[in-house]
Amino acid sequence: MNIPFNKPYMTGKELYFIAEAKFGNMLAGDGPFTKRCHNWLQQNTGSSKGLLTHSCTAALEMAALLLDISDGDEIIMPSYTFVSTANAFVLRGGVPVFVDVRHDTLNIDERLIEAAITERTKAIVPVHYAGVACEMDTILQIAQRHGIAVVEDAAQGVMARYKGRALGSIGNLGTYSFHETKNVISGEGGALLVNDPDLILRAEIIREKGTDRSRFFRGEVDKYTWQEVGSSFLPGELTAAFLWAQLEEADSITKARLALWHRYHEHLAPLEASGLIRRPVIPNDCEHNAHMYYILLAPGIDRCRVLDEVKREGVACVFHYIPLHSSPAGRRLGRVSGSLEVTDSHAERLIRLPLWLGMTEQELARVVEILGNAVRR
Ligand SMILES: *Cc1c(COP(=O)(O)O)cnc(C)c1O
């Protein structure tokens, strides 16, 4: 019995909606399915404007354009994140400034942010790792005090909340991913949440090749023209149709994932009690979305050996990010603020477990058993 790390979940209506889009002859972007998805984003996050993009990477690139990032501007972010968090700003000449993460959540350590701020700092990019929120109140206070923007990389945060507020809807801008490895999917896909109403008009322009095409279709201008630097950031209707089938079920998908997450959490309590692993920590203010179940091995346990052993038994457990500050591009293009010792130590000890809808209790118990055997050895 092989247990894969991920299996994309289908609600069953994806192909039906794609056929509907096709027979409606609406294949380019911003058709009826995109509108449904936009309404969903606004209703379910409270953001002033949700705009579909073809990826979370694209949404981050839009954020960098919207904030007018230029040569030498500094962007504060964790090193423990996906490359797109940094790349999007580097493309505009920005310099990522890497700050260490918290022991408990592996999110940016808000207590270290202020020391990283210089007169070149333009934005803070908190990344909500595993759909567990960063300490947003503190981060917003720091940003306000210094007059800098907050862009939430909420790629993993769809349906998760901080003090009741949807992740992605809290900073000036927020980004979601609908990549097939996330909770709610469209193959490739993403969204930009524009929470600062002053940025909405420019966001629409940047997303539509730098033109005021969106205003033209609303009848607000009588022709559309090139207004500023932009690109094509919107998905086609086939992608939006697929995504709509998923957004309709976002609630039940999240509940089912949470049920699996809690089963892991119960099953792995004894291993934590024996001091061999640490389980995820969810702070009180955070309602997470079960995007990921991970464990941290106790120092001294060889992760390579554990991963090899579980793989030999047919269970696909995987490690996660190579910290950006230690990557070739990160070293060349970014800079580090303070010590990144938590990032370095946690990144080397983290293992992600299979978690996908359709996983049975037996499969889950088998992952726990095989992992437990390998860790105890
Ligand atoms: C998945 C992910 C991204 C990139 O999302 P895409 O939709 O694949 O572009 C960016 N940041 C984080 C933290 C992610 O997990």
Side-chain angles (χ1 to χ4, degrees), residues 3-32:
I3 303 177
F5 175 67
N6 183 45
K7 253 191 209 174
Y9 172 72
M10 303 272 277
T11 67
K13 287 207 192 149
E14 287 83 357
L15 298 180
Y16 173 80
F17 287 148
I18 285 174
E20 193 179 321
K22 181 193 172 289
F23 291 114
N25 279 325
M26 297 286 286
L27 298 181
D30 281 343

Side-chain angles (χ1 to χ4, degrees), residues 145-193:
R145 201 152 53 230
H146 294 271
I148 55 186
V150 174
V151 179
E152 296 174 74
D153 183 339
Q156 303 172 16
V158 177
M159 296 297 285
R161 293 180 180 270
Y162 168 80
K163 298 188 179 174
R165 300 170 72 185
L167 302 194
S169 75
I170 304 167
N172 303 74
L173 297 161
T175 63
Y176 283 159
S177 174
F178 303 117
H179 186 265
E180 82 163 21
T181 53
K182 303 302 201 289
N183 290 17
V184 171
I185 61 174
S186 60
E188 302 281 351
L192 178 69
L193 298 184

